[in-house]
Amino acid sequence: MMTHITVNASALTATAFAPFGDVIEATRRPSTSINRGTSERFADLARLDVLEAGGRPILSIIQSSPTPLPLRVRMLERHPLSSQAFIPLDGRPFLVVVAYDGADGLSTRIRAFLASGTQGVNYRRNTWHHPLIALETTSRFLAVERAGTGRNCEKVQLTGESVYVAVP
Amino acid sequence: MMTHITVNASALTATAFAPFGDVIEATRRPSTSINRGTSERFADLARLDVLEAGGRPILSIIQSSPTPLPLRVRMLERHPLSSQAFIPLDGRPFLVVVAYDGADGLSTRIRAFLASGTQGVNYRRNTWHHPLIALETTSRFLAVERAGTGRNCEKVQLTGESVYVAVP
């Protein structure tokens, strides 16, 4: 029997996203005044985990074409050696699709969040997630990742299951 | 005698900025098609140098008030243990003020660049630079820096010299 599931994206919050990683945003959490009071610093917003097995941090820019909604989820990926962060550079909302670890069918473990244009995400090591999902128009994202040797990408296909993500 | 110098900012280019660090932008340099052709990846755009003496990479957001022009340069700083990168998150131009190393008077070694809203910079370790200079309105920047022990900030004051940076 073909499972057919629609997952509705909810607003991205640090609390809701905590099982999967960090939300990178200049929130009203304590900040430090720097540069003679001309700037506020929201420090150390993500648990960057990119040094395993001789890894080093790298910065890349990913320019993504928009995905029509609802999105059919056909695969997820995860990085067993590192975290991976994406921060929007064009101030536009994007879609974040992740899955809990667990023994239940993958389709039932999928969650979706709508990130605002001022929120980035940092996927914790081994968090299942969908590749970048831009909305509306082509958008740039800064990626903070690990470079280094070792197999650092696993993929899982959703077969026999039909999962769609919608933004209500 | 009081030296009085006006430095005009020029457009930021990778070539002009090479003595000081990297320009972080999705240029038309070779990119890789990823995620089944939905994205283009401009990889490894900055020489992140943040691991010295047990350092680790951190991400912060700096929210800066705008600086009126012309800017009087009163001090510069540098980081002897690491690079430091800033990427605009609100798509707005900002001012980059750096200085060559050298034996001549500091005021004659200062250079200024106007970064577009789609360009970030990565200051190489030991590059003299001014703290963030937002223009026009309060703007957010992502900072990619080193956290760790050790003295990683030196400052120099400009005294007896009056240096202004202008955007022609």
Side-chain angles (χ1 to χ4, degrees), chain A:
Chain A
M1 190 183 70
M2 184 76 166
T3 316
H4 192 106
I5 296 177
T6 296
V7 177
N8 283 320
S10 53
L12 181 66
T13 66
T15 303
F17 195 67
F20 310 106
D22 311 299
V23 176
I24 300 165
E25 62 185 329
T27 56
R28 291 302 117 198
R29 280 181 290 163
S31 64
T32 311
S33 178
I34 61 169
N35 301 346
R36 296 172 142 226
T38 62
S39 296
E40 274 189 280
R41 180 169 189 258
F42 301 84
D44 203 2
L45 297 172
R47 282 159 289 184
L48 298 183
D49 171 16
V50 296
L51 307 183
E52 181 78 27
R56 66 181 174 92
I58 59 169
L59 296 185
S60 305
I61 293 177
I62 317 278
Q63 192 165 274
S64 296
S65 304
T67 299
L69 296 179
L71 160 73
R72 180 160 179 191
V73 180
R74 296 179 183 278
M75 60 80 69
L76 297 174
E77 62 183 41
R78 68 177 180 180
H79 308 297
L81 296 179
S82 68
S83 61
Q84 187 182 40
F86 297 101
I87 299 102
L89 294 180
D90 291 321
R92 277 196 281 270
F94 63 106
L95 200 52
V96 173
V97 176
V98 290
Y100 283 103
D101 259 335
D104 296 346
L106 178 57
S107 59
T108 65
R109 290 185 272 121
I110 291 176
R111 296 294 178 272
F113 300 95
L114 183 63
S116 80
T118 60
Q119 293 179 311
V121 292
N122 183 47
Y123 298 117
R124 189 169 304 134
R125 187 198 291 229
N126 273 325
T127 292
W128 289 111
H129 61 276
H130 194 280
L132 267 174
I133 308 162
L135 301 173
E136 292 174 19
T137 183
T138 298
S139 305
R140 295 172 310 125
F141 298 84
L142 189 76
V144 186
E145 308 173 287
R146 171 189 179 271
T149 56
R151 184 160 168 275
N152 194 22
C153 191
E154 295 177 1
K155 293 178 197 289
V156 61
Q157 307 294 327
L158 273 81
T159 53
E161 299 162 306
S162 159
V163 178
Y164 288 87
V165 173
V167 177

Side-chain angles (χ1 to χ4, degrees), chain B residues 110-125:
Chain B
I110 291 176
R111 297 293 178 273
F113 300 95
L114 182 65
S116 80
T118 60
Q119 294 179 311
V121 293
N122 183 47
Y123 298 116
R124 190 169 303 134
R125 184 199 291 228

